[in-house]
Amino acid sequence: MAEQTAAHREAAGADGRTGPDPGPPPAPGTPAAAPDPHTGTEAGTDTRAVVRDALGVGVAVGLSGFAFGVTAAGSGLSTLQALALSLLVFTGASQFALVGALAAGGNPFTAAAGAFFLGTRNAFYGLRLSQLLALPRAVRPLAAHWVIDETTAVALAQKGRRAARLGFTVTGLSLYLLWNLTTLLGALGAEAIGDTAAWGLDAAGPAVFLALLAPMLRTTTERAVAVLALVPALGLLPVLPAGVPVLVAALAAPAVLFLQGRRRGPGAPGKGSRS
């Protein structure tokens, strides 16, 4: 009996605990296991940091609505029409493409087609966010209106469902309100100053669009697509109707992916090269 008690104590350890040996403690500096992005059980999430980052994106990009309002007024749209585009479309790149084509004298249907193709990327964002956010069915139609570049980027940068929902909501709300407010101010201001081309404000839209796009080009493939889209679009501007070069530039992405696949050959891993 005494031998069995001693053996039991030895197996339990010096601190008297029973069960399997937990092993040595992790070495200092060892990163903890990453939280599951689908459970929302992230530990130590800094809510204030999420709100701060989301507001930073919303305010920074929302101020660009002023440039859109000016560009829309310069293209011949009324203040009410410019505001309706921001309220109902709410995807900056497509809005700039539409009013830019109209300002260049393009056909409205061609301009709308170019804007539509630019806006289709939001559908792919929605497929990813629907799994990450898992919102109730009742609010999904409203949330879908906020699925744009900025809200997607902020949501995907978070470590869990709760933080992703918070980042998406704060970014979408702040950006939507500020974008529409500055659109109104820009359109009213453009009407007050008269000819926007004389002030050089007709270039505000493309400049803002490039400023938003450039930081997103992080991989070699993305940069190759941007260059391949830019060259024919600029070269075809003098010879094709306004809005058509944008449609031609949309072929850059499948062209780059096709060439990339041919270079790797069959059976090669599908990893994109990063610089």
Side-chain angles (χ1 to χ4, degrees):
M1 183 68 180
E3 292 178 356
Q4 292 178 353
T5 303
H8 177 74
R9 290 177 178 174
E10 183 178 355
D15 57 357
R17 291 179 300 174
T18 60
D21 183 9
T30 302
D36 184 0
H38 299 293
T39 61
T41 57
E42 66 277 11
T45 299
D46 191 343
T47 302
R48 289 177 297 180
V50 175
V51 173
R52 181 186 64 240
D53 294 342
L55 283 176
V57 173
V59 172
V61 181
L63 294 175
S64 304
F66 185 85
F68 171 73
V70 171
T71 306
S75 67
L77 297 181
S78 67
T79 299
L80 184 59
Q81 289 172 326
L83 189 57
L85 277 175
S86 285
L87 286 169
L88 302 177
V89 179
F90 188 54
T91 170
S94 297
Q95 293 178 231
F96 277 119
L98 176 63
V99 298
L102 293 176
N107 184 287
F109 294 101
T110 305
F116 172 79
F117 279 109
L118 280 176
T120 54
R121 72 193 187 281
N122 295 338
F124 296 98
Y125 296 160
L127 293 175
R128 178 66 182 92
L129 290 179
S130 64
Q131 300 176 359
L132 176 62
L133 302 179
L135 296 172
R137 291 183 179 274
V139 301
R140 288 180 187 177
L142 298 176
H145 194 50
W146 288 355
V147 176
I148 55 176
D149 298 323
E150 292 76 19
T151 55
T152 302
V154 172
L156 293 179
Q158 308 308 320
K159 297 180 179 179
R161 179 167 293 161
R162 177 179 174 275
R165 285 179 173 180
L166 179 62
F168 176 86
T169 303
V170 174
T171 305
L173 180 61
S174 59
L175 180 52
Y176 187 76
L177 293 177
L178 192 56
W179 178 270
N180 283 281
L181 175 61
T182 54
T183 293
L184 177 61
L185 295 177
L188 293 175
E191 289 184 354
I193 65 176
D195 186 10
T196 56
W199 294 79
L201 297 178
D202 55 326
V208 171
F209 179 64
L210 290 176
L212 295 176
L213 178 64
M216 301 180 185
L217 305 178
R218 299 178 180 177
T219 68
T220 302
T221 300
E222 291 167 350
R223 295 180 185 128
V225 170
V227 172
L228 189 60
L230 179 65
V231 172
L234 292 178
L236 294 174
L237 277 177
V239 296
L240 292 179
V244 176
V246 175
L247 302 180
V248 176
L251 301 175
V256 169
L257 294 177
F258 174 77
L259 294 175
Q260 195 176 55
R262 289 285 300 271
R263 185 180 60 184
R264 291 179 186 144
K271 292 183 179 180
S273 57
R274 291 185 174 269
S275 59

